[in-house]
Amino acid sequence: MGVTKTITTKTNVKTDEHHDEHHDQSFIRKYIFCEDHKTIAKQFLITGIFWAIIGGAMSSLFRIQLGFPDFDLTSLSPVIGNWLTPQGKIDPEVYLALITMHGTIMVFFVLTAGLSGTFSNYLIPLQIGARDMASGFLNMLSYWFFFLSSIIMFISIFVEGGPASGGWTIYPPLSALPQAVSGSALGMTLWLVSMAFFIVSALLGALNYITTVINLRTEGMTFFRMPLTIWAFLVTAILGVLSFPVLLSAALLLIMDRSFGTSFYLSDIYIAGEALSNQGGSAILFQHLFWFLGHPEVYIVILPSLGITSEIISTCSRKPIFGYRAMVYSIIGIGALSFVVWAHHMFISGMNPFLGSVFTILTLIIAVPSAIKAFNYIATLWRGNIVFTPAMLFSIGLVSFFISGGLTGLFLGNSVVDINLHDTYFVVAHFHIVMGSASFFGLFAGVYHWFPKMFGRMMNRTLGYVHFWITFIGAYLVFFPLHYIGIAGFPRRYYSFTNFETGRIESFIDLNTFVSIAAILTFVAQFIFLFNFFYSMYRGRKASSNPWKSNTIEWTTPIDPGHGNWPGKIPTVKRWPYDYSKPGAKEDFIPQHIPLSSTKESNMPEDEHR
Amino acid sequence: MSFILGLIGFLSLVAVFLFFRSSEILSVAKKRISSSFEDGKNHINALSGVIFLVLSTIGIIWYSYDQFDNYFLPMASEHAPEIELLFWVTTAITFTVFILTQIVMFYFGYKYRYKKERKAHFYPDNHKLEIIWTVIPAIVLVALIGWGLVKWNKIMGPPPEDAEVIEVVGYQFAWASRYPGPDNELGNSNYKLIDVENIVGIDFSDSSSLDDFMPREIHIPKGKPVLFKIRARDVIHSVYLPYMRSQMNAVPGMPTQMWFIPSKTTAEMREETGNENFNYEIVCNKICGRAHFSMKHTVVVVEEWEYIKWKNSQKSWIEKNPDYYANFIKNNSTDIAVLND
C-alpha cells in the first residue's frame, strides 16, 4: 500500500483497477466519522458490547430480586440509589423498567445493531469482493443514527419516573398512559424517539446491505457462489426493510395517542379516577403492527447467527456445508414465512379464534425449514475432521440451542397448548434459548472467528474455551429450569411470587435461587471474553493471513486491509466457497479465487454448476 | 458484606489474570503455541461435549421425574386433560428429537474430532436424505396442528346455551365480578359511569341491571359450563386460571370472553393438594403496572346445589347501595337517554 492518490471514495468503489491506496485521513475521518465498512463494523461491535454489559447487568439485578427476594441491596445505593425501597429491595416499578430495558437493549441494540451491524458491515464487502458498501456515507449515517438512538435510550434510564416500563413490547394502553405506570411518562417518550432513530439506522444499513450484495459482487461471484453468511445477511436486510417501517408507524401512532390526543389504540378507558374521552381505538391494532415487525425481528436476530455458524461449522469441520442449496432455500423460506406468523403472539389477545387457527398452521410450517437447517448442520459434522476452535464450539452451542429452543416453539405455536403457556416462564425459556442464547452464540462465534481479520491478531484460545464452557453450561442452567416454572403456570414479569396462589410460593424458591446464581455467574464470566477481546486487540499473537485455512475471499486481503480492502485488483471468484477436503486435492481447502484449471486433480463434474 | 464480596471478586480477578499471564508466557517458552490452527485442545473439548450431554440428560430426566408433582398442576376443568394430552404428546415427540439430535451432534463431535492423518469426507449433499428430513417433520407437524386445531376450535368456540354468565372486569390492580341475577341477563354498562362505588360502570337505566349482584369472590358450579364476559377498565390484563388451563386477555374497549366447565370443587382440590388453604385464583397474566404481581381474585368452585343456594342468598348491588341508586336516578334522569345511544 504505497502511493497516495486523491480520488474520492465513490470512485474507489466503482473502479476496480487502480485502487491500492490509503488516504492520509485525519483522526476524525479515520476513526469517528469514518466511511470504511470495517471501521463502522467495529463501531457497531463496540457499541453493541457496551449495551450488552448494561443489558446483562440489568438482568443480574432483577434476578437478585427473583432469586433472593430478601436480599438487602442498600450497599449498592451509591450506584442505583433511588431505585430501591427503604428496605433495600428493588422498587416494583423499577423491576418492570429493568425487564423492559433488558428486553429492548438485548433485542434491538445488541442482537440487531450489534450483530447485523457488525457482521453485515464487516463481511459483506469482504466476502463478495467489493471495495466498500454501495454508499459509504449512508453507512456512516447508519451508525451515527444508531449512536444517537443509543444516547437517547441511555438518557432515558436516568430521567424522572424512570425508563419505559411496559415490557419491551410496549403494549398500549399501559405504554400510552402516564397515569398507568410512571415509566410511561418521559421514559416512554424517549423510548419512542430513540426507537425512531434506531429504525432510521436499521433501514439505512439494510438498504445498503441489499444494494451492495446485489450490485457489487466481484466477477464470478454468482448468487449461488455466495457464502451462506451473505445469504443470511441479505435476507435479514430484506426482512428489516420490510418490517421496520411498520414498527415506525406503530410507534408514530402511539406518539400521536400519547401526545396529541388521538385514539388509535385507546378506547373506553377509566383510569386514575377519570374516564378518558378516547373512543373507537383498538389496543389490538398495536399488537398486530408491533408483531408484524416483532416476528420478522426474531429472524433478523437469528438469521445472521445461522449464517455465521454455517460458515464456521463448514470451515472447522473441513467439509462442505451439507446441502448448500437447501440451506439457502431454508433461509429464504424462513424469511418469507416470518411475515405471516406474527399473530401467534396474540392467540389469547381476544382476536378472532379463527385467525388463531390460520396462524397456528402458518407458524408450524416455519418449523420445517428450521428443522432442515438443524439436520444439515449435524450432517456437516458427520465424517468431518472437526477442529474445536472457540468459534466452532460456539457454533455447535448455537445448533444445540437452536434445536432445544426451536422445539419448544412447537408447544407455543400450537394455539391450544399456548392457552395455558402464554405469558408464562415457558415463553421466557423458549425465546431466551432460541433467540437470545443462540444469537449470542452466533455473535461470539463470529467475533472469535473474524477477530484475526478485524484486528490482525488472534484471541487467546484457552480463555475462549473457558468462556465457552461457562457460558454454554451457564445458559442452559439459567434457561432450562424456566420451562418447569412455566409449565407450573407461573406468569412472567412478576416482581415477586409472595402473593401468588396460596400455597404455591414455596414451589420454586430454590429453583429460582439456583437460576439467579447461574445467571449472575454466567454474566460475570462474560468479562473473561471482554478481557480476551481488548487484551488480544493489542497484545494477542499476530495472525497469519488465513489462520483458519478458509476458502472465502476475505482471507485473500492483507492481514490489515486498508480502505478498499484489496491492494490492486479485486480477486475474481472461480468456484463455490465450500471446497474443503476435496478428494484428490493437495490441501484440504481450495479458496474461492483458485481457478478450476489449476486444480485438475480434484475437479468433479458438478463443479461446473457450483 | 458487600465489601467482602467486592474484595473476593477483585482478588479472584487478579488471580485469573496472573494465571493467564503466566500460562501464556510458559506456553511461549515451551513453544506450545503451534502455527497450525488445528492443533488445539480438540480431544478435551470433544470429550467435554459428551460429558456435558450425559450429565445434562441425567439432570433433566431426574428433575422432570422427581419434581413432577411440583410443576404439573392438577387439572380442574373438563378441557384441561385434552390440552394436557396434546402437551405431553408434543413433549414426548420433541424430547425424543431433542435428545437424539443432541446425542448425534456431540457424538459426531467426539468421533470426528481432528486427527492429523485423517481427511474429512467430501459430502456436499444427498437429496434423498434431505427430502426425508423435510417430509417427516412436515408430517408430524401436520398431525400436531390438526389435533391442536380440533381442540382449539372446541375450546374457543361458542359456549353452550346454558352457560352461567359472569362478567369479569380487570382494573389496576384487582378484579371485579358481576352476576346477572335472577333475570339471567347482565345489565348494560358504560365506562363513563364508573366511579369509586360503581367500579364496573353498571348502567342502571337498563332494567336488567337492577338485579345484578357483585360478590367479593367468584363462585362457579362444578360440572356446568361457565362463561366469563371479560372487560378491562384501564390497561390490558389477562384472566388466567392455571388449574383450569384457561386464559384470555382483558382489553379496554374490546370485550372478550372465555368458557370452561369446572371439574373439581375447591374442597376436592384442597383434599387432593393436601393444602387446606387452597383457593383457585384468577391471576393477572399481562403486564399491567406496579402491582401486576399481586393482582388476583379468588374463585370458589362448589357443587351445583351449593351454587344455587349461594346465588339465591346474594343481594343485588342496588340493594347494597340504595343511596347510590337513588342519586343515580336523580342525576341521570335526563342524561340516560343520551347515554344509551
Side-chain angles (χ1 to χ4, degrees):
Chain A
M1 279 174 274
V3 200
T4 307
K5 289 182 185 173
T6 44
I7 39 175
T8 62
T9 326
K10 226 177 203 168
T11 21
N12 281 350
V13 173
K14 282 180 183 161
T15 52
D16 283 358
E17 296 299 325
H18 30 105
H19 185 290
D20 58 334
E21 56 299 303
H22 238 80
H23 317 272
D24 285 326
Q25 287 173 321
S26 65
F27 178 82
I28 290 181
R29 292 289 289 164
K30 197 167 174 194
Y31 293 108
I32 301 176
F33 294 108
C34 182
E35 295 185 11
D36 183 354
H37 71 101
K38 298 186 291 298
T39 308
I40 295 171
K42 291 173 197 170
Q43 291 173 328
F44 270 109
L45 181 59
I46 302 287
T47 318
I49 288 175
F50 166 79
W51 276 119
I53 297 169
I54 306 268
M58 286 177 161
S59 71
S60 294
L61 267 181
F62 63 70
R63 271 321 311 184
I64 289 178
Q65 166 58 28
L66 290 169
F68 304 91
D70 302 322
F71 194 79
D72 188 349
L73 286 166
T74 315
S75 52
L76 280 182
S77 58
V79 192
I80 53 168
N82 57 0
W83 287 0
L84 300 176
T85 62
Q87 293 80 37
K89 294 182 65 173
I90 293 168
D91 180 83
E93 284 196 10
V94 170
Y95 174 84
L96 296 181
L98 286 174
I99 57 165
T100 304
M101 295 309 283
H102 168 76
T104 307
I105 289 169
M106 288 305 194
V107 171
F108 293 113
F109 290 74
V110 181
L111 293 176
T112 303
L115 180 59
S116 256
T118 304
F119 289 103
S120 297
N121 260 315
Y122 199 78
L123 292 178
I124 288 177
L126 283 172
Q127 287 195 331
I128 64 170
R131 297 282 181 208
D132 201 326
M133 283 290 174
S135 166
F137 179 69
L138 289 188
N139 206 20
M140 178 188 83
L141 277 188
S142 163
Y143 174 74
W144 287 102
F145 270 110
F146 170 55
F147 188 80
L148 179 61
S149 147
S150 294
I151 297 276
I152 296 170
M153 193 61 87
F154 191 70
I155 289 173
S156 88
I157 300 174
F158 304 100
V159 297
E160 175 101 41
S165 48
W168 79 279
T169 54
I170 57 158
Y171 283 3
L174 184 62
S175 60
L177 305 171
Q179 306 94 306
V181 67
S182 59
S184 291
L186 183 55
M188 192 66 224
T189 306
L190 291 176
W191 193 99
L192 289 165
V193 173
S194 167
M195 282 312 295
F197 285 119
F198 183 90
I199 293 164
V200 173
S201 157
L203 289 177
L204 288 174
L207 288 169
N208 232 332
Y209 308 150
I210 296 171
T211 317
T212 309
V213 172
I214 292 177
N215 292 311
L216 296 184
R217 281 166 291 126
T218 183
E219 193 191 330
M221 180 63 87
T222 59
F223 274 105
F224 280 102
R225 278 182 183 169
M226 295 198 310
L228 285 168
T229 34
I230 304 301
W231 271 109
F233 298 147
L234 174 64
V235 173
T236 303
I238 294 171
L239 295 186
V241 165
L242 295 177
S243 63
F244 267 116
V246 180
L247 179 65
L248 185 63
S249 61
L252 201 62
L253 299 188
L254 186 52
I255 291 172
M256 303 284 270
D257 272 9
R258 289 168 51 81
S259 307
F260 304 105
T262 56
S263 306
F264 291 106
Y265 306 130
L266 307 177
S267 188
D268 300 10
I269 290 167
Y270 177 92
I271 191 164
E274 181 191 13
L276 305 184
S277 54
N278 306 69
Q279 272 188 304
S282 162
I284 303 292
L285 170 66
F286 178 85
Q287 298 179 22
H288 281 296
L289 293 175
F290 181 86
W291 288 114
F292 190 86
L293 157 92
H295 202 80
E297 171 64 23
V298 309
Y299 292 98
I300 290 173
V301 163
I302 189 72
L303 280 179
S305 282
L306 292 174
I308 286 168
T309 50
S310 305
E311 190 59 31
I312 294 171
I313 287 182
S314 172
T315 305
C316 292
S317 301
R318 315 308 296 161
K319 265 188 75 186
I321 191 83
F322 183 82
Y324 171 79
R325 292 229 172 193
M327 290 297 248
V328 170
Y329 295 134
S330 302
I331 292 174
I332 296 172
I334 289 174
L337 284 169
S338 74
F339 280 103
V340 290
V341 300
W342 78 86
H344 67 219
H345 298 269
M346 302 164 57
F347 284 141
I348 56 149
S349 66
M351 70 176 189
N352 191 323
F354 175 71
L355 209 50
S357 309
V358 175
F359 278 95
T360 300
I361 296 170
L362 292 167
T363 298
L364 293 197
I365 291 176
I366 209 170
V368 174
S370 309
I372 295 174
K373 287 196 83 73
F375 289 130
N376 282 10
Y377 280 131
I378 294 174
T380 306
L381 296 177
W382 180 68
R383 293 183 67 184
N385 203 12
I386 301 167
V387 184
F388 287 92
T389 63
M392 180 62 172
L393 283 168
F394 275 101
S395 304
I396 290 177
L398 174 140
V399 178
S400 175
F401 286 128
F402 188 63
I403 293 172
S404 49
L407 285 170
T408 48
L410 301 188
F411 295 80
L412 299 167
N414 208 345
S415 51
V416 72
V417 182
D418 185 61
I419 293 175
N420 190 46
L421 295 175
H422 191 88
D423 266 337
T424 65
Y425 267 88
F426 195 88
V427 181
V428 180
H430 163 70
F431 71 75
H432 274 94
I433 290 178
V434 75
M435 173 174 112
S437 303
S439 305
F440 252 105
F441 272 46
L443 178 62
F444 285 132
V447 171
Y448 279 105
H449 194 77
W450 278 285
F451 191 88
K453 189 82 270 166
M454 285 181 174
F455 300 103
R457 289 170 186 271
M458 309 294 286
M459 286 179 84
N460 182 286
R461 212 186 246 205
T462 313
L463 286 185
Y465 293 145
V466 174
H467 173 225
F468 168 76
W469 283 109
I470 299 183
T471 311
F472 183 57
I473 296 170
Y476 263 122
L477 291 182
V478 174
F479 299 123
F480 205 87
L482 300 186
H483 290 117
Y484 299 101
I485 303 180
I487 293 169
F490 277 60
R492 66 195 278 211
R493 291 163 173 165
Y494 262 36
Y495 168 70
S496 123
F497 290 97
T498 41
N499 280 347
F500 183 65
E501 295 194 337
T502 345
R504 290 188 58 200
I505 169 187
E506 291 92 2
S507 304
F508 293 109
I509 284 185
D510 294 344
L511 196 62
N512 263 319
T513 310
F514 177 83
V515 167
S516 293
I517 293 172
I520 293 166
L521 286 181
T522 311
F523 172 63
V524 171
Q526 302 316 305
F527 287 90
I528 299 173
F529 168 77
L530 286 179
F531 169 76
N532 197 354
F533 182 82
F534 289 108
Y535 180 86
S536 306
M537 210 185 277
Y538 298 101
R539 303 289 295 276
R541 204 158 43 87
K542 285 259 168 63
S544 59
S545 62
N546 189 356
W548 319 118
K549 299 183 185 167
S550 189
N551 284 345
T552 39
I553 58 173
E554 76 270 27
W555 303 104
T556 63
T557 59
I559 290 176
D560 186 16
H563 199 170
N565 296 339
W566 283 269
K569 221 168 164 274
I570 295 178
T572 50
V573 164
K574 311 286 191 193
R575 59 176 73 229
W576 78 326
Y578 296 107
D579 271 344
Y580 289 107
S581 300
K582 234 176 159 190
K586 289 183 217 94
E587 296 243 32
D588 68 351
F589 68 114
I590 310 174
Q592 273 191 287
H593 64 285
I594 307 289
L596 289 171
S597 56
S598 64
T599 57
K600 294 226 165 61
E601 67 281 2
S602 64
N603 288 354
M604 295 175 162
E606 303 94 296
D607 286 340
E608 299 299 318
H609 316 295
R610 280 191 185 121
Chain B
M1 177 66 183
S2 61
F3 174 73
I4 296 170
L5 279 178
L7 194 67
I8 293 172
F10 178 73
L11 286 179
S12 42
L13 274 183
V14 172
V16 167
F17 181 72
L18 287 177
F19 173 75
F20 166 72
R21 268 313 271 172
S22 52
S23 70
E24 202 181 39
I25 291 165
L26 210 67
S27 61
V28 171
K30 284 186 180 169
K31 298 215 168 71
R32 269 218 312 251
I33 295 183
S34 152
S35 58
S36 164
F37 90 104
E38 292 99 333
D39 304 327
K41 302 232 181 318
N42 292 314
H43 185 77
I44 182 84
N45 279 303
L47 191 66
S48 305
V50 176
I51 295 171
F52 165 79
L53 175 72
V54 172
L55 291 182
S56 54
T57 310
I58 293 172
I60 292 169
I61 292 173
W62 167 75
Y63 190 89
S64 303
Y65 179 77
D66 188 64
Q67 297 287 310
F68 183 79
D69 292 337
N70 197 16
Y71 65 81
F72 183 77
L73 292 191
M75 298 175 285
S77 75
E78 288 192 358
H79 71 258
E82 300 177 21
I83 290 184
E84 286 301 331
L85 183 61
L86 180 54
F87 174 88
W88 287 104
V89 169
T90 311
T91 305
I93 293 171
T94 52
F95 191 72
T96 312
V97 176
F98 169 64
I99 289 294
L100 285 181
T101 48
Q102 308 270 345
I103 287 176
V104 169
M105 190 171 71
F106 285 105
Y107 171 72
F108 283 177
Y110 182 75
K111 173 125 196 255
Y112 302 113
R113 67 192 184 278
Y114 177 79
K115 289 200 183 92
K116 199 166 181 146
E117 64 281 5
R118 200 180 54 226
K119 193 169 184 182
H121 177 51
F122 186 83
Y123 193 61
D125 47 23
N126 178 337
H127 294 304
K128 207 169 148 191
L129 259 181
E130 287 176 280
I131 288 169
I132 289 174
W133 62 50
T134 308
V135 170
I136 291 180
I139 292 171
V140 174
L141 287 169
V142 167
L144 288 176
I145 298 169
W147 183 356
L149 287 185
V150 170
K151 297 298 173 195
W152 167 257
N153 286 326
K154 187 178 148 199
I155 294 166
M156 301 296 280
E161 294 280 311
D162 62 335
E164 286 292 318
V165 178
I166 301 159
E167 183 179 61
V168 178
V169 182
Y171 58 97
Q172 287 182 324
F173 297 95
W175 298 96
S177 59
R178 178 162 69 117
Y179 284 68
D183 67 350
N184 272 333
E185 190 125 357
L186 276 172
N188 290 340
S189 60
N190 187 315
Y191 82 102
K192 290 190 171 162
L193 297 172
I194 297 173
D195 57 32
V196 182
E197 286 168 274
N198 184 5
I199 56 174
V200 299
I202 308 172
D203 178 0
F204 293 105
S205 62
D206 177 6
S207 60
S208 43
S209 59
L210 298 181
D211 61 348
D212 292 359
F213 66 87
M214 294 182 61
R216 291 186 53 183
E217 294 173 339
I218 294 176
H219 280 59
I220 48 177
K222 176 184 158 186
K224 270 204 82 179
V226 175
L227 171 66
F228 282 179
K229 296 256 181 202
I230 301 165
R231 288 195 292 132
R233 236 169 61 167
D234 34 37
V235 300
I236 300 176
H237 304 276
S238 186
V239 179
Y240 181 32
L241 283 165
Y243 290 86
M244 277 73 176
R245 311 296 195 266
S246 282
Q247 182 169 201
M248 179 53 70
N249 283 4
V251 186
M254 191 186 90
T256 56
Q257 63 177 40
M258 74 180 198
W259 70 273
F260 59 95
I261 304 172
S263 62
K264 277 176 199 159
T265 63
T266 300
E268 283 168 345
M269 201 56 121
R270 283 179 180 172
E271 204 168 317
E272 186 176 335
T273 58
N275 172 10
E276 59 194 28
N277 297 319
F278 174 86
N279 265 320
Y280 295 110
E281 278 169 2
I282 291 176
V283 290
C284 181
N285 197 14
K286 185 61 82 185
I287 180 171
C288 65
R290 184 178 186 90
H292 169 52
F293 68 102
S294 59
M295 178 172 164
K296 56 180 189 172
H297 195 74
T298 304
V299 175
V300 182
V301 182
V302 291
E303 298 290 349
E304 196 175 348
W305 61 268
E306 290 174 286
Y307 174 69
I308 293 166
K309 202 172 123 192
W310 171 84
K311 212 171 152 185
N312 291 337
S313 72
Q314 296 295 311
K315 280 188 187 159
S316 74
W317 196 84
I318 54 173
E319 234 176 304
K320 283 184 179 167
N321 302 276
D323 298 346
Y324 185 94
Y325 181 61
N327 270 333
F328 182 90
I329 296 299
K330 202 160 74 197
N331 296 339
N332 292 301
S333 49
T334 49
D335 302 340
I336 284 169
V338 183
L339 270 173
N340 278 344
D341 282 344

